[in-house]
Amino acid sequence: MTVHASTDTINEMDPVFAQMAAASVGHCWAVPELTDREKVFLALVADICQPALGLPFEMHVRAGLRRGVSTADMRALLRLISYDSGYVAALGALERLAEIEAAAGLPRPEAEPLPRELLETGPGAAPTPLPAPVRAELTKLDPYFLEYFDLQSRMRGVQGPGTLSVRERAFMTMSVDVHYQTLDETFRIHVGRALGAGATPEDVRAVLRFNAQFGATRAWQAWKALNACLADLAPTR
């Protein structure tokens, strides 16, 4: 749901729910620190993680189109979060996005294929962008799992014109942590990445303020983790 979306369908289902939703969503969409593009992406991430690929997903896709977010941008988002949300969840969203594109008469976006070295593991693989401390932690867990992480990091590390910014990537992966309540190592890494990309602590807090509409109790738990994380990082900033 979005502030500017038509409430006719929701009103027909339940007018009181429509009032509650409009007030809640309006409060969250009024967060000033995030761009409209970031808010659209955050809403789509919530739909994928919930999952809520029916009316909510379609409303968010159409809201994104009205705000200048192309379906090519949305596909880039799906590719980004696929190994955090899981490929099955991302594939379900990709299927729905293709249906919405077809219904709206939108052309199917084209994307450059990934270089072969990004798709390989072992000696022929390209260097991994995964930070050394993270690799060390994963090595302790399982070397084969580390290899999988390296593969995912290479494949989704591609950036260039028209792709998501580092700030956007950090906010989206941080939000997956909120929805799945993975609020330890990965959450701290993603918060740190956002701060390293120039986001202020208040910008990072705005992500949780926006995400409250997708589950207040999950946001509550995330606030505790975020406040602790920001307190630990404060002396180094």
Side-chain angles (χ1 to χ4, degrees):
M1 291 172 289
T2 72
V3 180
H4 304 294
S6 170
T7 59
D8 290 347
T9 303
I10 304 173
N11 266 317
E12 290 173 4
M13 291 188 288
D14 189 303
V16 176
F17 178 88
Q19 288 179 306
M20 295 168 61
S24 301
V25 173
H27 185 271
C28 294
W29 275 77
V31 170
E33 293 86 359
L34 303 175
T35 67
D36 276 359
R37 175 181 160 98
E38 288 168 345
K39 291 173 183 176
V40 168
F41 283 157
L42 289 170
L44 292 172
V45 168
D47 294 333
I48 294 161
C49 293
Q50 294 287 350
L53 298 180
L55 178 60
F57 184 76
E58 182 172 352
M59 293 178 74
H60 291 144
V61 169
R62 295 189 183 281
L65 293 172
R66 289 195 301 272
R67 290 168 169 80
V69 182
S70 69
T71 57
D73 295 330
M74 297 177 197
R75 286 166 180 264
L77 173 68
L78 296 181
R79 291 192 290 268
L80 168 70
I81 69 167
S82 57
Y83 95 132
D84 288 315
S85 69
Y87 277 88
V88 172
L91 178 58
L94 181 61
E95 180 182 39
R96 279 291 291 128
L97 182 58
E99 292 172 356
I100 295 168
E101 287 172 332
L106 297 172
R108 183 71 55 83
E110 295 184 4
E112 289 291 327
L114 294 175
R116 184 174 181 83
E117 61 268 22
L118 299 183
L119 303 171
E120 295 180 349
T121 58
T128 175
L130 201 63
V134 178
R135 297 192 80 253
E137 284 294 317
L138 294 173
T139 300
K140 296 175 186 176
L141 297 177
D142 181 73
Y144 200 79
F145 183 55
L146 167 65
E147 192 174 79
Y148 180 79
F149 248 81
D150 280 338
L151 173 64
Q152 301 306 311
S153 296
R154 282 193 296 271
M155 291 193 297
R156 76 172 189 171
V158 177
Q159 292 178 273
T163 58
L164 280 66
S165 68
V166 176
R167 169 183 158 121
E168 289 170 341
R169 294 159 75 91
F171 283 174
M172 301 315 129
T173 51
M174 174 185 156
S175 292
V176 176
D177 291 323
V178 174
H179 297 304
Y180 289 161
Q181 294 289 279
T182 49
L183 300 173
D184 294 319
E185 292 91 346
T186 57
F187 185 67
R188 295 178 68 86
I189 289 169
H190 296 147
V191 170
R193 186 173 297 158
L195 296 172
T200 68
E202 203 63 17
D203 294 335
V204 175
R205 291 187 179 99
V207 174
L208 291 196
R209 291 171 184 151
F210 185 84
N211 275 325
Q213 64 188 299
F214 306 116
T217 53
R218 284 191 292 270
W220 186 337
Q221 295 304 308
W223 272 114
K224 294 194 291 184
L226 179 61
N227 287 341
C229 180
L230 292 176
D232 288 344
L233 294 172
T236 63
R237 286 184 55 76

